[in-house]
C-alpha cells in the first residue's frame, strides 16, 4: 500500500516504543537498588518475642529522625523497649530513656516514595516523562513512633522514629501502661516571680511546648517543630536556650501555637508532574510570640510554610522552624542595636 496510508499508525508505533524503552531503563536501574523485603512480623493474636510484654520489644530497622540525646538525626539503628528503658543503638552512639520519664507516646504513619532519593533518581531517568507515571506505585507506608519525655532537670524533649509498617503499634503496647502511670513526671511550670529580672541571663530564651489549636496535626509534626527550633536557636552565637520545664532565668520566652495544618501527599505531588507544584501540597501555620522577662511582647507574627514538589511532606517542619528562628535572630539584632549607646 502507499506509504501515506501508514501515517495514522506512526503515533501508535511511537507510543509503543516509548513504553518499551521506559520499561527497559527502569528494569536496568532497578537491578542496582535492592527491593524492600517485608519484615516477618508476629500475628496480632499470637505475639512473638518482638512484642513480648515481659521481655520487651525491638526493631532492627528503626531510623532516628530527631530528638534522642547524643544520637544524630536520620541515623539508622535498633530501637529496643524493655519494662525499664527505651534505647536506641546507632552506629556511633547509644541513647537511653527511662520509661517512667516518658509523658506521652503515639503512633502514626505516612506514605512516602520507595528508596527515597534513589527512587527519585530512578524516575528522573525514565524518558519522555514516564517517571511521573511510575510515582503512582513507587511508594510505601512507614510507621512513625513519637516519644515525649523529660530529662533529669525537668526539661521537655520529643523524639521521633521511623519504623517498618505496623511496628509502631507493637511498641505502643509495651510503653503505654508505664508512660501513663506516673503523673508527677509532667514537666513542671516554673512559678512566675521566682526569677528576679536582674538575674535573667542575657540573650537566653525559654522555648515553651507548642500549643495545639489544630487537632488533626500529627504528634510527630508538633514534636519535630519544637526540636528543630531548639536545634536552630542553639546555632545563634551567644544564645542560651532552655527547654520547657527547666528551672531557669531566661531573658525571653518563646510561645508557639499551631493553628493550621494540611497534610498533602508526596505521592500525589510526584505522580502529577508539574501540576504537583499546586496539588497535594503540605501546609503548616503557627503563631509566634516572644515576651521579655517583664512580660512585654517583643515579637508577634504568623508564620506559614508549604512543601511543594516531590520531596517528603515532613520537610515542611524544618522550613517553618527556619523561618521562626530567622525572625527571632533578626529581632534580637534589632533590639541589641536599639539598646546600644549612641556614638553621637
Amino acid at each position: 500500500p502507499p506509504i501515506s496510508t501508514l501515517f495514522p499508525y506512526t503515533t501508535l508505533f511511537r507510543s509503543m516504543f516509548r513504553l518499551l524503552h521506559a520499561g527497559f531503563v527502569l528494569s536496568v536501574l532497578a537491578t542496582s537498588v535492592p527491593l524492600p523485603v517485608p519484615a516477618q512480623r508476629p500475628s496480632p493474636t499470637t505475639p512473638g518475642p518482638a512484642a513480648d510484654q515481659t521481655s520487651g520489644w525491638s526493631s532492627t530497622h528503626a531510623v532516628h529522625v530527631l530528638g534522642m540525646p547524643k544520637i544524630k538525626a536520620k541515623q539508622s539503628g535498633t530501637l529496643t523497649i524493655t519494662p525499664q528503658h527505651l534505647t536506641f543503638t546507632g552506629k556511633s552512639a547509644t541513647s537511653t530513656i527511662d520509661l517512667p520519664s516518658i509523658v506521652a507516646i503515639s503512633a502514626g504513619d505516612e506514605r512516602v516514595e520507595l528508596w527515597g532519593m534513589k527512587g527519585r533518581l530512578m524516575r528522573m531517568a525514565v524518558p519522555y516523562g514516564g517517571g511521573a507515571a511510575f510515582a503512582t506505585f513507587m511508594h510505601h507506608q512507614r510507621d512513625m513512633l513519637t516519644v515525649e519525655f523529660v530529662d533529669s532537670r525537668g526539661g521537655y524533649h520529643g523524639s521521633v522514629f521511623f519504623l517498618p509498617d505496623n511496628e509502631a503499634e507493637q511498641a505502643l503496647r509495651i510503653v503505654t501502661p508505664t508512660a501513663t502511670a506516673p503523673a508527677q513526671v509532667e514537666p513542671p511550670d516554673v512559678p512566675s516571680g521566682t526569677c528576679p529580672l536582674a538575674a535573667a541571663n542575657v540573650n537566653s530564651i525559654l522555648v515553651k511546648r507548642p500549643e495545639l489549636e489544630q487537632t488533626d496535626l500529627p504528634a510527630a509534626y508538633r514534636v519535630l517543630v519544637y526540636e528543630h527550633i531548639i536545634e536552630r536557636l542553639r546555632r545563634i552565637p551567644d544564645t542560651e536556650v532552655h527547654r520547657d520545664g527547666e528551672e531557669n532565668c531566661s531573658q525571653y520566652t518563646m510561645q508557639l501555637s499551631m493553628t493550621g495544618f494540611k497534610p498533602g501527599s508526596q505521592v500525589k505531588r510526584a505522580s502529577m508532574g508539574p501540576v504537583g507544584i499546586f496539588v497535594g501540597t503540605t501546609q503548616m501555620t503557627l503563631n509566634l510570640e516572644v515576651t521579655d522577662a517583664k512580660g512585654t511582647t517583643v515579637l508577634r507574627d504568623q508564620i506559614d510554610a508549604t512543601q511543594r514538589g516531590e520531596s517528603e511532606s515532613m520537610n515542611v517542619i524544618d522550613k517553618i522552624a527556619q523561618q521562626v528562628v530567622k525572625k527571632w535572630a533578626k529581632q534580637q539584632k534589632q533590639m541589641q542595636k536599639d539598646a546600644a549607646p549612641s556614638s553621637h
Side-chain angles (χ1 to χ4, degrees):
I3 193 170
S4 60
T5 61
L6 298 177
F7 287 167
Y9 300 97
T10 56
T11 301
L12 176 61
F13 293 155
R14 188 180 295 115
S15 299
M16 292 176 62
F17 172 75
R18 288 176 178 175
L19 288 174
L20 289 172
H21 188 205
F24 173 75
V25 172
L26 185 63
S27 63
V28 171
L29 290 171
T31 58
S32 62
V33 182
L35 291 172
V37 179
Q40 296 297 322
R41 303 186 184 91
S43 169
T45 56
T46 310
D52 191 336
Q53 294 286 346
T54 57
S55 61
W57 169 93
S58 67
S59 174
T60 57
H61 294 85
V63 177
H64 168 249
V65 182
L66 191 66
M68 281 289 280
K70 301 185 294 183
I71 302 294
K72 294 181 180 180
K74 299 181 180 179
Q75 187 169 139
S76 300
T78 299
L79 181 65
T80 303
I81 302 175
T82 69
Q84 294 79 33
H85 308 289
L86 182 149
T87 301
F88 182 85
T89 304
K91 294 181 179 179
S92 58
T94 297
S95 184
T96 298
I97 303 171
D98 293 336
L99 251 62
S101 69
I102 296 176
V103 297
I105 185 168
S106 58
D109 59 70
E110 190 168 64
R111 298 208 71 83
V112 294
E113 187 165 24
L114 281 172
W115 311 306
M117 180 57 70
K118 288 183 179 179
R120 292 176 60 186
L121 293 175
M122 286 176 59
R123 289 194 296 100
M124 290 172 61
V126 178
Y128 308 115
F134 286 111
T136 60
F137 61 85
M138 286 180 58
H139 54 85
H140 71 116
Q141 181 172 289
R142 67 182 176 193
D143 276 14
M144 297 183 295
L145 183 70
T146 303
V147 182
E148 301 173 64
F149 62 98
V150 293
D151 58 27
S152 59
R153 300 176 56 190
Y156 168 81
H157 295 251
S159 299
V160 176
F161 304 92
F162 291 151
L163 298 172
D165 190 17
N166 295 329
E167 288 195 2
E169 289 293 339
Q170 296 179 21
L172 203 64
R173 289 196 292 268
I174 300 295
V175 182
T176 300
T178 305
T180 56
Q184 68 272 18
V185 298
E186 287 285 352
D189 291 327
V190 179
S192 59
T194 61
C195 182
L197 294 178
N201 299 328
V202 178
N203 293 334
S204 60
I205 185 166
L206 167 66
V207 185
K208 304 286 287 184
R209 284 177 294 172
E211 295 179 352
L212 190 61
E213 296 184 18
Q214 184 75 14
T215 56
D216 58 352
L217 178 71
Y221 280 68
R222 171 177 52 80
V223 164
L224 289 176
V225 165
Y226 184 83
E227 292 296 332
H228 274 287
I229 289 175
I230 292 282
E231 183 181 57
R232 286 186 171 274
L233 283 172
R234 286 177 172 164
R235 300 178 192 173
I236 302 176
D238 304 319
T239 298
E240 183 179 315
V241 184
H242 296 283
R243 292 178 175 273
D244 194 5
E246 293 180 350
E247 292 188 12
N248 64 86
C249 284
S250 296
Q251 186 177 11
Y252 302 102
T253 298
M254 176 181 290
Q255 181 64 64
L256 308 166
S257 179
M258 316 299 295
T259 59
F261 176 71
K262 177 184 175 183
S265 170
Q266 181 197 12
V267 175
K268 183 180 293 185
R269 294 194 299 268
S271 62
M272 299 190 71
V275 181
I277 299 176
F278 309 100
V279 178
T281 59
T282 301
Q283 301 171 12
M284 182 179 290
T285 303
L286 64 77
N287 290 333
L288 166 68
E289 183 175 13
V290 179
T291 57
D292 61 17
K294 297 179 181 179
T296 304
T297 298
V298 298
L299 175 63
R300 179 184 287 129
D301 203 353
Q302 183 180 81
I303 301 177
D304 301 287
T306 302
Q307 181 59 45
R308 304 181 184 276
E310 301 181 5
S311 298
E312 292 187 15
S313 295
M314 294 189 78
N315 289 348
V316 73
I317 297 170
D318 194 41
K319 280 187 177 181
I320 206 163
Q322 184 177 7
Q323 290 188 57
V324 167
V325 175
K326 185 177 181 180
K327 285 182 180 293
W328 170 239
K330 182 179 179 180
Q331 179 66 21
Q332 197 175 21
K333 287 182 179 180
Q334 185 62 46
M335 291 189 297
Q336 292 171 352
K337 181 179 179 180
D338 295 341
S342 176
S343 56
H344 300 286

